[in-house]
Amino acid sequence: MLGVIDLPTYLAGLVLIVLLPGPNSLYVLSVAARRGVRAGYTAAAGVWCGDAVLMTLSAAGVASLLQANAVLFGIVKYAGAGYLTWLAVGMLRAAWGMWRSRQERAVVEDESGAVADERPYRRAFVISLFNPKAILFFVAFFVQFVDPGYAYPALSFVVLGAFAQLASFLYLSALIFSGTKLATAFRRRKRLAAGATSAAGALFLGFAVKLSLAST
């Protein structure tokens, strides 16, 4: 179909890949839990745009260039790891402020200040974009399902990318609405909110370390 080989196998692998936890899905869940459905979808839009850029670059062969050029790969890798670390530090600082705060009013003020400074779309877009392992993965995964003899390979990549974005939309939508339920619990239990924020910060640090240790 349109130069796509073994579509059922691709879809089965895609579901498993989308369900794997990562910084993108974690950030969308965090935004939805703190700011609601609309902000959650704003962050999700950043993820989808970032993924679209990665898919386009992969189809254009940029991933192969990164794989062949260790210096360029290292620049992108450490830039991505640095950005994830910066986000993690911000989350941990916010969590520390929640732990230390003894008055609900002060917590609300801290959260409102954080909300004013945060730009979910931009952050989610950068998180998605600065991920060289994702670029390498996209090209390695997509190429297996594109018929090399098909006259319009770009169309094949579009079809595969459309399925990937649809799967991402369904998964992130589920996370967003789950996040709004978590928000109710966070408002009632400040310790729970602080603990969840701490855990998210720690996970982002883990993602940063994993990315910094990645190799071509």
Side-chain angles (χ1 to χ4, degrees):
M1 184 185 76
L2 300 177
V4 176
I5 302 172
D6 199 359
L7 183 60
T9 301
Y10 169 76
L11 295 178
L14 181 62
V15 170
L16 295 177
I17 293 161
V18 169
L19 292 178
L20 289 175
N24 295 348
S25 57
L26 178 61
Y27 181 69
V28 171
L29 177 61
S30 172
V31 171
R34 289 181 287 109
R35 301 181 56 181
V37 173
R38 183 174 180 178
Y41 273 109
T42 300
V47 172
W48 297 325
C49 290
D51 286 348
V53 171
L54 292 181
M55 293 175 193
T56 302
L57 293 176
S58 297
V62 175
S64 299
L65 176 62
L66 283 176
Q67 192 171 18
N69 192 320
V71 175
L72 182 59
F73 179 85
I75 292 173
V76 176
K77 177 178 70 172
Y78 289 115
Y83 188 73
L84 291 178
T85 301
W86 179 74
L87 290 179
V89 171
M91 291 180 179
L92 292 175
R93 289 182 61 186
W96 178 246
M98 293 178 189
W99 285 116
R100 295 188 61 183
S101 177
R102 300 302 181 185
Q103 298 180 357
E104 183 175 343
R105 183 176 181 181
V107 174
V108 172
E109 290 174 354
D110 287 344
E111 290 178 346
S112 64
V115 167
D117 293 336
E118 187 176 20
R119 297 180 181 178
Y121 174 85
R122 186 177 67 178
R123 286 194 177 186
F125 179 79
V126 175
I127 290 172
S128 298
L129 195 59
F130 281 97
N131 193 344
K133 292 296 290 185
I135 298 176
L136 299 179
F137 169 78
F138 274 127
V139 73
F141 188 67
F142 280 10
V143 167
Q144 298 179 36
F145 299 93
V146 175
D147 183 0
Y150 186 64
Y152 307 101
L155 182 58
S156 303
F157 280 100
V158 169
V159 172
L160 295 175
F163 279 114
Q165 293 287 45
L166 176 60
S168 178
F169 173 80
L170 296 175
Y171 178 58
L172 292 182
S173 293
L175 290 182
I176 288 169
F177 286 102
S178 298
T180 56
K181 293 182 179 179
L182 290 175
T184 302
F186 288 166
R187 293 190 190 100
R188 294 176 180 175
R189 301 181 180 181
K190 298 303 179 183
R191 290 185 178 181
L192 178 62
T197 304
S198 299
L203 284 174
F204 266 79
L205 278 179
F207 290 133
V209 172
K210 183 178 180 180
L211 180 56
S212 66
L213 296 177
S215 62
T216 57

